[in-house]
Every structure is written in structure tokens, then in C-alpha cells.
Amino acid sequence: MSDSKPVSPVPPDRPAWLPETGAARAASYRLAPPAILAFYEWEIGTCFMCRTVNRFVTAIGARGGEGGEEAVPLTVCGSCVLAQEEERRARMIRSGRRYVPGRIGQPE
Ligand SMILES: [Zn+2]
């Protein structure tokens, strides 16, 4: 029988969905790019941010669609997704909120 240990408080930077391993308590919980990109679905298209054509892009929203006009999907390439995720992560940490990847284009 082992003594029941008190539950250690969650480090503020660790997202709730990331299991506590205790291995990297002092390290950053920054995810590697493949892990971040895996939150999105990819197709070939044009990035509306850097204008690169024929790349893997992911739809993060749509523009227009009011007054009977057809909505234009906003698609972003992997480089721009990672840049956006980095900025979002920094914003979340600065304001004391929890960073969850995979939510570009959604309200913070
Ligand atoms: Zn791009």
C-alpha cells in the first residue's frame, strides 16, 4: 500500500490536456510543429496571408457571405499557422490565460 500523495498543483503553463509526467517541470510546454499542425485539416490551395500558391493550407474561417454574396474561405499555410500559434501562445501567457493550440480563427 502506498501513501496517497497530495495532488501537485498544475503548473500554470501546462495545458490541461497535456498529461503530467513530471519529467520536464522546468522546461517549456511548447509543442513541436508537427503536433501543432496535426490539429488542423490540410488541402492544397493558396495562403491568404503570405499569398503562396499550391501549398498545403487549412481553412481557418471565411470572409464575406453577407447579402447573398458567396463566402470566401480563408486558408492559411503551415508556416503562417505556426507563426499565428506562436503569437497566440505569447498573448495567452502574457494575459494569464490557458493556451490551447488548434484554434486559430476562433475567438480567444
Ligand atoms: Zn502562408
Side-chain angles (χ1 to χ4, degrees):
M1 286 287 282
S2 63
D3 295 325
S4 62
K5 282 188 249 173
V7 178
S8 62
V10 176
D13 198 21
R14 183 174 69 83
W17 47 263
L18 190 64
E20 169 68 274
T21 63
R25 202 172 295 276
S28 158
Y29 290 107
R30 185 173 299 204
L31 290 178
I36 293 175
L37 296 176
F39 282 94
Y40 297 92
E41 292 186 6
W42 300 92
E43 60 188 353
I44 298 293
T46 301
C47 176
F48 90 95
M49 296 185 81
C50 66
R51 302 287 175 194
T52 309
V53 299
N54 204 23
R55 290 195 81 176
F56 276 112
V57 292
T58 185
I60 60 164
R63 180 168 45 198
E66 304 97 16
E69 126 194 31
E70 202 171 319
V72 180
L74 298 176
T75 53
V76 184
C77 74
S79 301
C80 291
V81 162
L82 291 175
Q84 292 287 309
E85 289 279 7
E86 282 289 314
E87 285 175 23
R88 187 182 175 103
R89 179 177 181 276
R91 270 200 309 279
M92 294 295 175
I93 290 171
R94 269 200 307 275
S95 60
R97 287 175 291 170
R98 177 167 290 163
Y99 164 69
V100 179
R103 294 189 180 176
I104 292 176
Q106 297 175 31
E108 294 188 355

